[in-house]
Each structure stands twice: as structure tokens, then as C-alpha cells.
Amino acid sequence: MKIIIGSTNPAKVAAVKNAFHYQQTELLSLDIPSGVSEQPFSDEETIKGAINRSVGALQMGNGDIGIGLEGGVQESAHGLLLCNWGALASKDREPIIAGGARFLLPNEIADRLRAGEELGPVMDDYAKKENVRKNEGAVGIFTNGLINRSEMFSHLINLLVGQYYYQKGSMK
């Protein structure tokens, strides 16, 4: 099976590799544009970005499965939540979607995002590190390392792959 990942972000690629470790697969990662804002600001926009990446990956990589993973934020009555969504595209089917973990961002981060900044650079500045988004992610910083970005996306991939095999009527 040839799986195309619609991102070259190491945290996202690692999540997909972990989900398919039990199968003989060919994995290819391509830089597929999300087609949404650099900082998606709703579940709908984040879902759209994940779907766009999965469909684009499937088309550009000529694979069996295209996977798109997208991080965003969602405003709530309690504050600004970090959210993440994934999509799995395959031939002759509508993309499968799944959402993952959510947590409130600290006000000092949320205020900067509401003012138009993007989470990645804000987290680099906040954590005094480079490329937080390609490593532990905001989730790694704000959970004191108990969950990292790759693990967060691994959960999503398992939700997607499980639905894929269920719809096919088969297991792995």
C-alpha cells in the first residue's frame, strides 16, 4: 500500500509511520498546501485544511491513501482551544475525518492569535525554542512533555485508519 502524507512536518510524518508500522507500506511525504489560513481559526477551517491536504496528497502522490493533518484553534465560551483534525482520502470515496485532543490555550497565547499571529511562531517565542511545531508542539509545552505533537496526531491517524478498514469491511 502506498500512503501519501500531505505534509513534510516531522511530527506529522512520525505519527503516520507509527500508525502503519505493522504493515508493509510505502510512505511518501509531500508539501501539500492546506488551502486555508496559515492559522485556521475554527473547526470547519481546520477540517477543510486536513481534507485539502489528504485529497491533494492522494492526487499528487498517486497513492492508495492520502492523509492530511491540520492543527488549528477554536473559540469557545471558555477561551481559545487548540484543535487538530485529520482526513484520509482514498479513491472512489469521500474523505474520512476525525478530530483529536483539545485544550485551552493560556490567555497570553490566545490574545496573540486573536491579534493575527500564527501559533507556530508564537510558541517559538513563548518557549524560547526553534521549530516547536516540528517537535513537541504547543501540546508538548503545555502538558509539560506528557503528550507531544506526534503522539497527538497518532491518535487521529488511528481513528482514521480504523474507520477506513471498517468501511472496507476488513481489518488491517
Side-chain angles (χ1 to χ4, degrees), residues 9 35 46-47 84 89 94 113 118 129-130:
N9 182 301
T46 310
I47 291 167
N84 54 92
E94 288 296 311
L113 299 182
E118 185 188 351
K129 294 183 173 187
E130 289 186 28

Side-chain angles (χ1 to χ4, degrees), residues 145-166:
L146 290 177
I147 301 286
N148 66 40
R149 193 164 193 228
S150 180
E151 291 166 333
M152 183 177 67
F153 279 125
S154 290
H155 175 76
L156 268 178
I157 297 297
N158 288 332
L159 289 169
L160 295 169
V161 171
Q163 290 179 82
Y164 172 76
Y165 284 119
Y166 176 78

Side-chain angles (χ1 to χ4, degrees), residues 32-72:
I32 303 295
S34 67
V36 299
S37 306
E38 285 294 317
Q39 180 56 67
F41 231 88
S42 69
D43 279 333
E44 287 306 315
E45 188 178 13
T46 310
I47 291 167
K48 183 178 180 184
I51 290 172
N52 289 347
R53 287 183 193 273
S54 70
V55 171
L58 183 65
Q59 292 170 346
M60 294 295 293
N62 193 30
D64 300 302
I65 291 175
I67 294 183
L69 299 168
E70 191 74 17

Side-chain angles (χ1 to χ4, degrees), residues 49-106:
I51 290 172
N52 289 347
R53 287 183 193 273
S54 70
V55 171
L58 183 65
Q59 292 170 346
M60 294 295 293
N62 193 30
D64 300 302
I65 291 175
I67 294 183
L69 299 168
E70 191 74 17
V73 294
Q74 172 72 40
E75 198 67 69
S76 78
H78 304 284
L80 195 61
L81 296 164
L82 179 112
C83 68
N84 54 92
W85 286 89
L88 184 152
S90 59
K91 294 178 176 90
D92 304 321
R93 292 186 178 190
E94 288 296 311
I96 298 166
I97 63 170
R102 295 172 178 266
F103 63 89
L104 281 174
L105 291 168

